[in-house]
Amino acid sequence: MSHSPVHRAGDSPIQVDLVEGETYTWCACGRSNSQPFCDGSHQGTGIDPVVFVAEKSGSVWLCMCKQTGTPPLCDGSHNKKKVE
Ligand code: FES
């Protein structure tokens, strides 16, 4: 049984307002205290945040369970059964 270094930061996605052209850093490790964004807590985990530029202004659902296949966006993975 492998132990995932990724933590669930939440059980449902979080809606955030993005501004077109702005750069965001999505927390991939689940340890940040500034969810859904990275605060540097991933240090030493071997996990890097996902840096992205908003293509348009508006709200999006960012993944909080950190299991999404389409980071940083929610793909519904939080509803899937947790396999450990
Ligand atoms: Fe989680 Fe940086 S704190 S990726």
Side-chain angles (χ1 to χ4, degrees):
M1 210 184 279
S2 71
H3 215 73
S4 172
V6 174
H7 287 184
R8 279 176 92 92
D11 289 328
S12 52
I14 185 167
Q15 192 172 27
V16 294
D17 281 318
L18 303 183
V19 177
E20 180 181 343
E22 289 285 312
T23 300
Y24 298 89
T25 309
W26 175 78
C27 169
C29 75
R31 288 168 174 77
S32 173
N33 289 317
S34 321
Q35 293 294 335
F37 301 112
C38 171
D39 72 351
S41 298
H42 61 271
Q43 267 195 25
T45 63
I47 300 168
D48 289 320
V50 174
V51 179
F52 68 101
V53 177
E55 286 172 13
K56 56 179 180 158
S57 295
S59 64
V60 293
W61 290 93
L62 295 186
C63 170
M64 284 288 281
C65 76
K66 313 302 179 182
Q67 313 293 317
T68 182
T70 58
L73 300 175
C74 170
D75 73 350
S77 290
H78 59 279
N79 288 324
K80 289 184 198 139
K81 255 219 171 110
K82 211 178 164 193
V83 185
E84 291 245 326

